[in-house]
Short mmCIF file of all heavy atoms in Angstrom, two decimals:
data_model
loop_
_atom_site.label_atom_id
_atom_site.label_comp_id
_atom_site.label_asym_id
_atom_site.label_seq_id
_atom_site.Cartn_x
_atom_site.Cartn_y
_atom_site.Cartn_z
N VAL A 199 187.88 35.67 77.64
CA VAL A 199 187.76 34.50 78.51
C VAL A 199 188.80 33.45 78.14
O VAL A 199 189.42 32.85 79.03
CB VAL A 199 186.34 33.92 78.42
CG1 VAL A 199 186.25 32.61 79.21
CG2 VAL A 199 185.32 34.92 78.94
N GLU A 200 189.02 33.24 76.85
CA GLU A 200 190.05 32.27 76.47
C GLU A 200 191.43 32.71 76.95
O GLU A 200 192.28 31.87 77.29
CB GLU A 200 190.09 32.04 74.96
CG GLU A 200 191.08 30.93 74.60
CD GLU A 200 191.21 30.63 73.12
OE1 GLU A 200 190.49 31.25 72.32
OE2 GLU A 200 192.05 29.79 72.78
N ALA A 201 191.67 34.01 76.98
CA ALA A 201 192.97 34.51 77.42
C ALA A 201 193.31 34.07 78.83
O ALA A 201 194.48 33.92 79.17
CB ALA A 201 193.01 36.04 77.32
N TRP A 202 192.28 33.85 79.68
CA TRP A 202 192.54 33.36 81.03
C TRP A 202 193.27 32.02 81.01
O TRP A 202 193.95 31.64 81.97
CB TRP A 202 191.24 33.18 81.81
CG TRP A 202 190.49 34.43 82.17
CD1 TRP A 202 189.19 34.69 81.87
CD2 TRP A 202 190.95 35.57 82.91
NE1 TRP A 202 188.82 35.92 82.36
CE2 TRP A 202 189.88 36.47 83.01
CE3 TRP A 202 192.18 35.90 83.49
CZ2 TRP A 202 189.99 37.69 83.67
CZ3 TRP A 202 192.29 37.10 84.15
CH2 TRP A 202 191.21 37.99 84.24
N ARG A 203 193.14 31.29 79.88
CA ARG A 203 193.82 30.00 79.75
C ARG A 203 195.24 30.17 79.20
O ARG A 203 195.99 29.19 79.11
CB ARG A 203 193.02 29.09 78.81
CG ARG A 203 191.59 28.85 79.22
CD ARG A 203 190.82 28.06 78.17
NE ARG A 203 191.25 26.68 78.08
CZ ARG A 203 190.68 25.66 78.69
NH1 ARG A 203 189.61 25.86 79.46
NH2 ARG A 203 191.12 24.43 78.54
N GLY A 204 195.56 31.40 78.76
CA GLY A 204 196.86 31.66 78.17
C GLY A 204 196.93 31.28 76.71
O GLY A 204 198.03 31.16 76.15
N THR A 205 195.77 31.13 76.08
CA THR A 205 195.74 30.67 74.68
C THR A 205 194.90 31.57 73.79
O THR A 205 194.09 32.38 74.28
CB THR A 205 195.19 29.25 74.58
OG1 THR A 205 193.79 29.24 74.97
CG2 THR A 205 195.96 28.28 75.46
N GLN A 206 195.07 31.41 72.50
CA GLN A 206 194.21 32.00 71.48
C GLN A 206 193.97 30.93 70.44
O GLN A 206 194.91 30.38 69.88
CB GLN A 206 194.88 33.23 70.85
CG GLN A 206 194.02 33.91 69.78
CD GLN A 206 194.61 35.22 69.33
OE1 GLN A 206 194.75 36.15 70.11
NE2 GLN A 206 195.00 35.30 68.06
N HIS A 207 192.71 30.59 70.23
CA HIS A 207 192.33 29.46 69.36
C HIS A 207 193.02 28.17 69.81
O HIS A 207 193.41 27.34 68.99
CB HIS A 207 192.65 29.76 67.90
CG HIS A 207 191.91 30.93 67.34
ND1 HIS A 207 190.54 31.01 67.37
CD2 HIS A 207 192.35 32.08 66.77
CE1 HIS A 207 190.16 32.16 66.83
NE2 HIS A 207 191.22 32.83 66.47
N GLY A 208 193.14 28.02 71.12
CA GLY A 208 193.67 26.78 71.66
C GLY A 208 195.18 26.66 71.69
O GLY A 208 195.72 25.68 72.20
N GLU A 209 195.88 27.67 71.18
CA GLU A 209 197.34 27.63 71.14
C GLU A 209 197.92 28.70 72.07
O GLU A 209 197.37 29.80 72.17
CB GLU A 209 197.84 27.88 69.71
CG GLU A 209 197.38 26.84 68.70
CD GLU A 209 197.97 25.47 68.98
OE1 GLU A 209 199.09 25.40 69.56
OE2 GLU A 209 197.34 24.46 68.62
N PRO A 210 199.03 28.40 72.76
CA PRO A 210 199.65 29.39 73.64
C PRO A 210 199.96 30.68 72.87
O PRO A 210 200.39 30.64 71.72
CB PRO A 210 200.94 28.70 74.09
CG PRO A 210 200.63 27.25 73.99
CD PRO A 210 199.75 27.11 72.78
N HIS A 211 199.72 31.82 73.53
CA HIS A 211 199.93 33.12 72.88
C HIS A 211 200.69 34.03 73.84
O HIS A 211 200.34 34.13 75.03
CB HIS A 211 198.59 33.74 72.50
CG HIS A 211 198.69 34.87 71.54
ND1 HIS A 211 199.05 36.15 71.92
CD2 HIS A 211 198.49 34.93 70.19
CE1 HIS A 211 199.07 36.94 70.87
NE2 HIS A 211 198.73 36.23 69.80
N SER A 212 201.70 34.72 73.32
CA SER A 212 202.56 35.55 74.17
C SER A 212 201.79 36.66 74.86
O SER A 212 202.12 37.05 75.99
CB SER A 212 203.70 36.14 73.35
OG SER A 212 203.19 36.93 72.27
N ARG A 213 200.75 37.19 74.20
CA ARG A 213 200.00 38.31 74.77
C ARG A 213 199.33 37.93 76.09
O ARG A 213 199.15 38.78 76.98
CB ARG A 213 198.94 38.78 73.77
CG ARG A 213 198.00 39.85 74.30
CD ARG A 213 197.03 40.32 73.23
NE ARG A 213 196.33 39.23 72.59
CZ ARG A 213 195.27 38.61 73.13
NH1 ARG A 213 194.82 38.95 74.32
NH2 ARG A 213 194.67 37.62 72.48
N CYS A 214 198.95 36.68 76.25
CA CYS A 214 198.21 36.28 77.44
C CYS A 214 198.94 35.20 78.25
O CYS A 214 198.32 34.44 78.98
CB CYS A 214 196.82 35.80 77.07
SG CYS A 214 196.73 34.68 75.66
N GLN A 215 200.26 35.16 78.13
CA GLN A 215 201.00 34.11 78.81
C GLN A 215 200.94 34.22 80.33
O GLN A 215 201.08 33.23 81.05
CB GLN A 215 202.46 34.11 78.35
CG GLN A 215 203.23 35.37 78.66
CD GLN A 215 204.65 35.33 78.12
OE1 GLN A 215 205.05 34.36 77.48
NE2 GLN A 215 205.40 36.39 78.37
N ASP A 216 200.74 35.43 80.85
CA ASP A 216 200.65 35.61 82.31
C ASP A 216 199.22 35.51 82.83
O ASP A 216 199.00 35.50 84.05
CB ASP A 216 201.22 36.98 82.70
CG ASP A 216 202.70 37.10 82.39
OD1 ASP A 216 203.41 36.09 82.51
OD2 ASP A 216 203.14 38.20 82.00
N ALA A 217 198.25 35.43 81.93
CA ALA A 217 196.84 35.46 82.34
C ALA A 217 196.43 34.29 83.23
O ALA A 217 195.65 34.48 84.17
CB ALA A 217 195.94 35.55 81.11
N PRO A 218 196.90 33.06 82.97
CA PRO A 218 196.50 31.96 83.86
C PRO A 218 196.87 32.19 85.32
O PRO A 218 196.10 31.85 86.22
CB PRO A 218 197.24 30.74 83.27
CG PRO A 218 197.39 31.08 81.82
CD PRO A 218 197.66 32.55 81.81
N ASP A 219 198.04 32.77 85.57
CA ASP A 219 198.45 33.06 86.95
C ASP A 219 197.55 34.12 87.58
O ASP A 219 197.19 34.03 88.76
CB ASP A 219 199.90 33.53 86.98
CG ASP A 219 200.88 32.42 86.65
OD1 ASP A 219 200.52 31.24 86.80
OD2 ASP A 219 202.01 32.74 86.22
N ILE A 220 197.16 35.11 86.79
CA ILE A 220 196.25 36.15 87.28
C ILE A 220 194.89 35.54 87.60
O ILE A 220 194.28 35.81 88.64
CB ILE A 220 196.10 37.27 86.23
CG1 ILE A 220 197.45 37.97 86.00
CG2 ILE A 220 195.02 38.27 86.65
CD1 ILE A 220 197.46 38.92 84.82
N PHE A 221 194.43 34.68 86.71
CA PHE A 221 193.13 34.00 86.89
C PHE A 221 193.14 33.18 88.17
O PHE A 221 192.21 33.23 88.98
CB PHE A 221 192.86 33.12 85.68
CG PHE A 221 191.50 32.47 85.68
CD1 PHE A 221 190.37 33.21 85.39
CD2 PHE A 221 191.36 31.11 85.94
CE1 PHE A 221 189.11 32.61 85.38
CE2 PHE A 221 190.12 30.50 85.93
CZ PHE A 221 189.00 31.26 85.65
N HIS A 222 194.21 32.42 88.37
CA HIS A 222 194.29 31.57 89.56
C HIS A 222 194.36 32.41 90.83
O HIS A 222 193.71 32.08 91.84
CB HIS A 222 195.52 30.67 89.48
CG HIS A 222 195.71 29.81 90.69
ND1 HIS A 222 194.91 28.71 90.96
CD2 HIS A 222 196.58 29.92 91.74
CE1 HIS A 222 195.28 28.17 92.10
NE2 HIS A 222 196.29 28.88 92.60
N ALA A 223 195.11 33.50 90.80
CA ALA A 223 195.26 34.34 91.98
C ALA A 223 193.92 34.93 92.43
O ALA A 223 193.65 35.04 93.63
CB ALA A 223 196.27 35.46 91.71
N HIS A 224 193.09 35.31 91.47
CA HIS A 224 191.81 35.94 91.81
C HIS A 224 190.67 34.95 91.98
O HIS A 224 189.78 35.16 92.82
CB HIS A 224 191.44 36.97 90.74
CG HIS A 224 192.23 38.23 90.79
ND1 HIS A 224 191.86 39.31 91.58
CD2 HIS A 224 193.38 38.59 90.18
CE1 HIS A 224 192.74 40.28 91.43
NE2 HIS A 224 193.67 39.88 90.58
N PHE A 225 190.66 33.89 91.18
CA PHE A 225 189.48 33.03 91.12
C PHE A 225 189.75 31.54 91.35
O PHE A 225 188.80 30.77 91.46
CB PHE A 225 188.80 33.20 89.75
CG PHE A 225 188.56 34.63 89.36
CD1 PHE A 225 189.17 35.19 88.25
CD2 PHE A 225 187.72 35.43 90.13
CE1 PHE A 225 188.95 36.51 87.89
CE2 PHE A 225 187.49 36.76 89.79
CZ PHE A 225 188.11 37.31 88.66
N GLY A 226 191.00 31.15 91.40
CA GLY A 226 191.29 29.72 91.47
C GLY A 226 191.63 29.19 92.85
O GLY A 226 191.72 27.98 93.05
N ARG A 227 191.84 30.06 93.82
CA ARG A 227 192.25 29.61 95.15
C ARG A 227 191.07 29.14 96.00
O ARG A 227 191.20 28.22 96.80
CB ARG A 227 193.00 30.73 95.87
CG ARG A 227 194.36 31.03 95.24
CD ARG A 227 195.03 32.24 95.88
NE ARG A 227 196.36 32.46 95.33
CZ ARG A 227 197.09 33.55 95.53
NH1 ARG A 227 196.60 34.53 96.28
NH2 ARG A 227 198.29 33.68 94.98
N GLU A 228 189.93 29.79 95.83
CA GLU A 228 188.76 29.46 96.65
C GLU A 228 187.71 28.67 95.88
O GLU A 228 186.86 28.03 96.50
CB GLU A 228 188.13 30.74 97.19
CG GLU A 228 189.05 31.56 98.07
CD GLU A 228 188.39 32.85 98.50
OE1 GLU A 228 187.29 32.79 99.10
OE2 GLU A 228 188.95 33.93 98.23
N PHE A 229 187.76 28.73 94.56
CA PHE A 229 186.72 28.10 93.76
C PHE A 229 187.32 27.10 92.78
O PHE A 229 188.50 27.17 92.45
CB PHE A 229 185.94 29.15 92.95
CG PHE A 229 185.54 30.36 93.74
CD1 PHE A 229 186.04 31.61 93.43
CD2 PHE A 229 184.64 30.25 94.80
CE1 PHE A 229 185.68 32.73 94.15
CE2 PHE A 229 184.27 31.36 95.54
CZ PHE A 229 184.79 32.61 95.21
N GLU A 230 186.48 26.19 92.32
CA GLU A 230 186.85 25.34 91.20
C GLU A 230 186.47 26.12 89.94
O GLU A 230 185.31 26.17 89.56
CB GLU A 230 186.11 24.00 91.26
CG GLU A 230 186.61 22.98 90.26
CD GLU A 230 186.04 21.60 90.50
OE1 GLU A 230 186.09 21.13 91.66
OE2 GLU A 230 185.54 21.01 89.53
N SER A 231 187.45 26.76 89.33
CA SER A 231 187.18 27.74 88.27
C SER A 231 187.54 27.21 86.90
O SER A 231 188.50 26.45 86.74
CB SER A 231 187.98 29.03 88.54
OG SER A 231 187.65 29.55 89.82
N HIS A 232 186.77 27.65 85.90
CA HIS A 232 187.00 27.24 84.52
C HIS A 232 186.83 28.44 83.60
O HIS A 232 186.00 29.31 83.85
CB HIS A 232 186.00 26.15 84.10
CG HIS A 232 185.90 25.03 85.09
ND1 HIS A 232 184.93 25.01 86.07
CD2 HIS A 232 186.65 23.92 85.25
CE1 HIS A 232 185.08 23.91 86.80
NE2 HIS A 232 186.12 23.23 86.33
N ALA A 233 187.62 28.48 82.55
CA ALA A 233 187.51 29.53 81.53
C ALA A 233 187.22 28.86 80.20
O ALA A 233 188.10 28.23 79.60
CB ALA A 233 188.81 30.33 81.46
N TRP A 234 185.98 28.97 79.75
CA TRP A 234 185.55 28.33 78.51
C TRP A 234 185.23 29.41 77.48
O TRP A 234 184.08 29.78 77.25
CB TRP A 234 184.36 27.42 78.77
CG TRP A 234 184.73 26.22 79.62
CD1 TRP A 234 185.87 25.49 79.53
CD2 TRP A 234 183.98 25.66 80.70
NE1 TRP A 234 185.88 24.48 80.46
CE2 TRP A 234 184.73 24.55 81.20
CE3 TRP A 234 182.74 25.95 81.28
CZ2 TRP A 234 184.28 23.76 82.26
CZ3 TRP A 234 182.30 25.16 82.33
CH2 TRP A 234 183.06 24.08 82.81
N GLY A 235 186.27 29.95 76.88
CA GLY A 235 186.11 30.98 75.87
C GLY A 235 186.85 30.60 74.60
O GLY A 235 187.82 29.85 74.64
N VAL A 236 186.40 31.16 73.49
CA VAL A 236 187.05 30.94 72.20
C VAL A 236 187.20 32.28 71.49
O VAL A 236 186.21 32.99 71.28
CB VAL A 236 186.26 29.97 71.30
CG1 VAL A 236 187.00 29.76 69.98
CG2 VAL A 236 186.05 28.63 72.00
N ALA A 237 188.42 32.62 71.14
CA ALA A 237 188.67 33.88 70.44
C ALA A 237 187.86 33.93 69.15
O ALA A 237 187.84 32.97 68.37
CB ALA A 237 190.16 34.01 70.13
N GLY A 238 187.19 35.04 68.93
CA GLY A 238 186.41 35.21 67.71
C GLY A 238 184.99 34.69 67.78
O GLY A 238 184.24 34.81 66.82
N ASP A 239 184.58 34.14 68.92
CA ASP A 239 183.21 33.65 69.05
C ASP A 239 182.25 34.80 69.31
O ASP A 239 182.51 35.66 70.16
CB ASP A 239 183.10 32.65 70.19
CG ASP A 239 183.32 31.22 69.73
OD1 ASP A 239 183.84 31.03 68.61
OD2 ASP A 239 183.00 30.29 70.50
N ALA A 240 181.14 34.80 68.58
CA ALA A 240 180.03 35.72 68.83
C ALA A 240 179.01 35.00 69.71
O ALA A 240 179.17 33.81 70.04
CB ALA A 240 179.40 36.15 67.51
N ALA A 241 177.95 35.69 70.09
CA ALA A 241 176.94 35.09 70.97
C ALA A 241 176.33 33.84 70.36
O ALA A 241 176.03 32.88 71.07
CB ALA A 241 175.85 36.12 71.27
N GLN A 242 176.14 33.84 69.04
CA GLN A 242 175.54 32.67 68.40
C GLN A 242 176.42 31.44 68.51
O GLN A 242 175.94 30.31 68.62
CB GLN A 242 175.24 32.98 66.93
CG GLN A 242 176.46 33.31 66.10
CD GLN A 242 176.09 33.72 64.69
OE1 GLN A 242 175.01 33.41 64.20
NE2 GLN A 242 177.00 34.43 64.02
N HIS A 243 177.74 31.64 68.48
CA HIS A 243 178.66 30.52 68.60
C HIS A 243 178.71 29.99 70.03
O HIS A 243 178.77 28.77 70.25
CB HIS A 243 180.06 30.94 68.15
CG HIS A 243 180.08 31.56 66.79
ND1 HIS A 243 180.64 32.80 66.54
CD2 HIS A 243 179.57 31.12 65.61
CE1 HIS A 243 180.49 33.09 65.27
NE2 HIS A 243 179.84 32.10 64.68
N LEU A 244 178.67 30.89 71.00
CA LEU A 244 178.65 30.46 72.39
C LEU A 244 177.38 29.68 72.70
O LEU A 244 177.42 28.65 73.38
CB LEU A 244 178.76 31.67 73.33
CG LEU A 244 178.63 31.37 74.83
CD1 LEU A 244 179.62 30.31 75.29
CD2 LEU A 244 178.77 32.64 75.65
N MET A 245 176.25 30.15 72.21
CA MET A 245 175.00 29.42 72.44
C MET A 245 175.07 28.02 71.85
O MET A 245 174.64 27.04 72.48
CB MET A 245 173.80 30.19 71.86
CG MET A 245 172.48 29.47 72.03
SD MET A 245 171.99 29.31 73.78
CE MET A 245 170.70 30.55 73.86
N TRP A 246 175.64 27.89 70.67
CA TRP A 246 175.79 26.56 70.06
C TRP A 246 176.64 25.67 70.96
O TRP A 246 176.31 24.51 71.20
CB TRP A 246 176.43 26.67 68.68
CG TRP A 246 176.43 25.38 67.92
CD1 TRP A 246 175.52 24.95 67.00
CD2 TRP A 246 177.41 24.32 68.02
NE1 TRP A 246 175.85 23.70 66.53
CE2 TRP A 246 177.01 23.29 67.14
CE3 TRP A 246 178.57 24.14 68.77
CZ2 TRP A 246 177.73 22.09 66.99
CZ3 TRP A 246 179.29 22.95 68.63
CH2 TRP A 246 178.87 21.95 67.75
#
């Protein structure tokens, strides 16, 4: 999920640099879309 933002741990990452454009093409044109993910988070961290 964080990769949709083009980042890993909040910093730009080459592996996912094209991901924001992909995210917008599929989900950002019709909806107000957000990607709230953090690399390395388990379910307990997301719940927190």
Side-chain angles (χ1 to χ4, degrees):
V199 174
E200 185 181 357
W202 292 126
R203 303 174 70 96
T205 66
Q206 180 171 297
H207 298 304
E209 299 294 331
H211 195 281
S212 59
R213 174 177 52 80
C214 45
Q215 62 183 1
D216 296 325
D219 291 338
I220 296 170
F221 185 75
H222 178 73
H224 285 272
F225 310 117
R227 291 174 177 168
E228 300 176 56
F229 314 116
E230 189 170 310
S231 303
H232 311 94
W234 293 320
V236 180
D239 269 15
Q242 61 185 339
H243 307 126
L244 175 55
M245 178 65 105
W246 188 95

